[in-house]
């Protein structure tokens, strides 16, 4: 392999901020933050909003979205006068 053309492939902790779930895997993603993992070593951390631990498809839980305001706004805007 040629030198200095490949990204740095290293252990990275992905941190799901919505469910406080963390997992360690290998990645080439660049990040400046670090975290101390369960084994006592420091690893770079990348924060994500959705993972398999928090996504409704994988958890089987439905997320309740407040759409009442949007529906009322739509009805007011396009109501026949």
């Amino acid at each position: 392999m040629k030198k200095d053309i490949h990204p740095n492939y290293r252990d990275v902790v992905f941190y799901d901020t919505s469910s406080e779930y963390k997992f360690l895997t290998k990645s080439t993603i660049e990040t400046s933050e670090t975290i101390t993992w369960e084994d006592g070593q420091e690893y770079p951390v990348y924060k994500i909003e959705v993972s398999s631990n928090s996504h409704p498809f994988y958890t089987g839980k439905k997320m309740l979205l407040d759409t009442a305001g949007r529906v009322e706004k739509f009805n007011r805007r396009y109501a026949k006068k």
Side-chain angles (χ1 to χ4, degrees):
M1 290 196 308
K2 292 183 180 179
K3 292 186 178 190
D4 301 327
I5 64 166
H6 299 285
N8 184 16
Y9 189 63
R10 60 193 177 156
D11 290 326
V12 177
V13 174
F14 284 84
Y15 173 53
D16 183 352
T17 56
S18 62
S19 66
E20 304 292 321
Y21 178 66
K22 302 172 190 156
F23 58 96
L24 180 66
T25 189
K26 291 197 174 272
S27 177
T28 59
I29 196 161
E30 292 295 325
T31 179
S32 59
E33 297 180 59
T34 59
I35 192 170
T36 304
W37 189 244
E38 299 162 354
D39 62 3
Q41 294 184 4
E42 272 200 20
Y43 295 102
V45 64
Y46 186 74
K47 295 179 181 176
I48 55 178
E49 295 178 8
V50 178
S51 71
S52 60
N53 196 48
S54 63
H55 193 280
F57 180 80
Y58 297 104
T59 61
K61 298 178 184 175
K62 293 185 178 180
M63 295 174 57
L64 178 63
L65 297 174
D66 182 23
T67 59
R70 295 191 313 192
V71 171
E72 291 170 0
K73 184 178 178 182
F74 176 83
N75 287 337
R76 275 186 274 130
R77 180 178 290 167
Y78 296 106
K80 292 185 178 182
K81 297 180 181 181

